[in-house]
Amino acid sequence: MTTKGLADVVAAETRLSEVLGEEGRLIYAGYEIQDLAAHTTYEEVCHLLWYDDLPTAARLNGLRARFADALPVDGRVIDVVRQAPRHAHPMTVLRTALSALAFHDADAEDGSEEANERKAIRLTAQVVTLTAAIGRLQAGQEPVEPEPGLTLAENFLYMLNGRKADPISARAMDVAFILHAEHGMNASTFAARVAAGTLADMHGAITAATATLKGPLHGGANEGVMRMLMAIGSVEAAGPWVRAALERGDRVMGFGHRVYRTLDPRAPILRGLAEQMIGQDGSAVWLRISDRVQEVMREEMDRRGKRIYPNVDFFSAPVYSTLGVPIGLFTNIFACARMSGWTAHVIEQQRDNRLIRPGSEYIGGAARTVVPLARRG
């Protein structure tokens, strides 16, 4: 039986997460996403994914110290970023820089689980530094060195914007990282596991995942949402814009999901974060346009007898914009958060490895015989 897109094909066993699409639930190692978003930090979630449990205070402090040590990126890799054309997509630059990290990692060719855990910590810290550096260099600014006393989310905003974030903004970034850390056998995670299944090194597997995430049908959708909101421009224009798009048969970005058949559980959490941040800078325009788009979409889908709901990209766009993140870096933030999940999957895949090699159904021509070149008409 051929299944396009491998829909409903179970490709692996995992302890890392469970996505219950019909129920609209996302679970990391037994914990509901709402519980984790309300009561933990991204560093705690990293520990959960790598070690299958939330950390004690002592283990959390130890992990934070290791992240602080890992945040600085070798200057030769920063030079790779510096040499990229300013017009290059930030995910293209990140993909290349992540691969280049292997040149200067002492554990690069060590495939033991202990070495992979060390690389997971380094990669999860360094992707944050690289993304901030890409953003600054493409804006014509010099990179900012990380601050050892800050969390990964705080450091990202500090290295990107050149100033420490206020507590509400820092928490919003931290929760966004938590919400994107892991999500079952999505396309980029599957790409990482396919590469890891060949016993490729972790940097190679992560590069494969990063390349996959760039696609607009996966991580790149959040950029499309923000460009849509900017094209709409005002709350008043949202209704006519959405209805015209639907009449043309265009896709309204940020709605629908390959797995969820009800509301994406991450969407209302991000909506709440966006609401909290409005009071910080007085800017509500993107959230208000989003709310109106959601309202019109609900009306139109009800009229057509359909059910379609906002996904995580729909509200991540206004959150990131309010945090001062340029649109081009939206997918890179996704990669920053998902690095913990990708590396956890690489470790899990190689712990009980088997080469991932699905079959295919041949639909080409019947048996043929080669005609000599001189006789081919």
Side-chain angles (χ1 to χ4, degrees), residues 5-330:
L6 299 182
D8 301 320
V9 173
V10 177
E13 294 180 339
T14 182
R15 60 165 182 81
L16 297 172
S17 70
E18 184 175 18
V19 184
L20 300 174
E22 296 294 333
E23 301 173 38
R25 294 170 64 197
L26 172 59
I27 301 165
Y28 293 178
Y31 293 93
E32 296 280 351
I33 192 62
Q34 294 89 341
D35 196 13
L36 292 170
H39 301 115
T40 69
T41 62
Y42 179 62
E43 285 79 359
E44 290 173 83
V45 169
C46 292
H47 189 284
L48 173 65
L49 294 175
W50 294 330
Y51 305 111
D52 200 30
D53 206 357
L54 290 172
T56 62
R59 285 186 64 86
L60 180 58
N61 288 335
L63 182 57
R64 284 174 173 161
R66 295 179 73 181
F67 278 140
D69 290 341
L71 274 164
V73 171
D74 190 292
R76 290 166 291 186
V77 179
I78 295 296
D79 285 342
V80 171
V81 176
R82 195 182 299 277
Q83 291 164 18
R86 191 173 291 185
H87 67 266
H89 193 287
M91 279 295 286
T92 301
V93 182
L94 181 64
R95 181 185 67 210
T96 303
L98 288 171
S99 182
L101 285 174
F103 299 154
H104 313 292
D105 192 313
D107 290 318
E109 299 302 325
D110 185 344
S112 68
E113 187 161 329
E114 294 76 18
N116 278 343
E117 288 179 3
R118 294 192 294 270
K119 285 181 282 190
I121 291 171
R122 287 195 286 271
L123 281 162
T124 301
Q126 290 169 348
V127 69
V128 171
T129 304
L130 285 170
T131 291
I134 292 166
R136 288 189 68 83
L137 286 167
Q138 290 198 335
Q141 301 169 311
E142 280 299 299
V144 174
E145 291 295 318
E147 280 283 331
L150 302 180
T151 67
L152 292 177
E154 289 170 335
N155 250 311
F156 171 70
L157 293 175
Y158 171 69
M159 290 187 288
L160 178 66
N161 297 323
R163 62 185 183 276
K164 292 184 180 179
D166 63 84
I168 292 177
S169 296
R171 180 56 182 163
M173 191 77 262
D174 195 61
V175 173
F177 278 2
I178 291 170
L179 297 178
H180 288 85
E182 168 59 11
H183 202 255
M185 199 59 67
N186 56 84
S188 58
T189 295
F190 185 59
R193 290 192 75 133
V194 169
T198 70
L199 298 184
D201 62 277
M202 181 172 279
H203 287 85
I206 294 309
T207 302
T210 306
T212 307
L213 184 67
K214 181 178 180 287
L217 293 184
H218 190 10
N222 51 22
E223 296 179 35
V225 171
M226 196 63 218
R227 297 189 195 283
M228 177 186 74
L229 297 179
M230 293 173 70
I232 292 171
S234 68
V235 175
E236 294 73 22
W241 193 97
V242 170
R243 292 188 177 97
L246 293 174
E247 284 300 316
R248 293 192 303 269
D250 294 347
R251 181 183 177 192
V252 178
M253 298 301 293
F255 285 82
H257 195 277
R258 177 71 178 265
V259 177
Y260 293 115
R261 296 296 176 262
T262 183
L263 182 65
D264 183 332
R266 301 165 296 178
I269 299 173
L270 282 166
R271 169 64 178 75
L273 293 174
E275 188 71 53
Q276 290 177 35
M277 286 190 295
I278 284 173
Q280 295 296 106
D281 64 1
S283 173
V285 61
W286 303 128
L287 180 60
R288 298 307 174 223
I289 295 174
S290 299
D291 284 342
R292 180 57 181 153
V293 169
Q294 183 179 9
E295 182 181 312
V296 175
M297 280 292 290
R298 183 169 56 247
E299 293 170 358
E300 288 298 309
M301 292 304 104
D302 285 346
R303 187 171 66 83
R304 299 168 189 221
K306 297 181 179 180
R307 287 289 181 270
I308 186 168
Y309 302 90
N311 57 43
V312 70
D313 296 310
F314 188 66
F315 287 113
S316 66
V319 167
Y320 296 162
S321 181
T322 304
L323 288 170
V325 180
I327 297 174
L329 282 187
F330 283 10

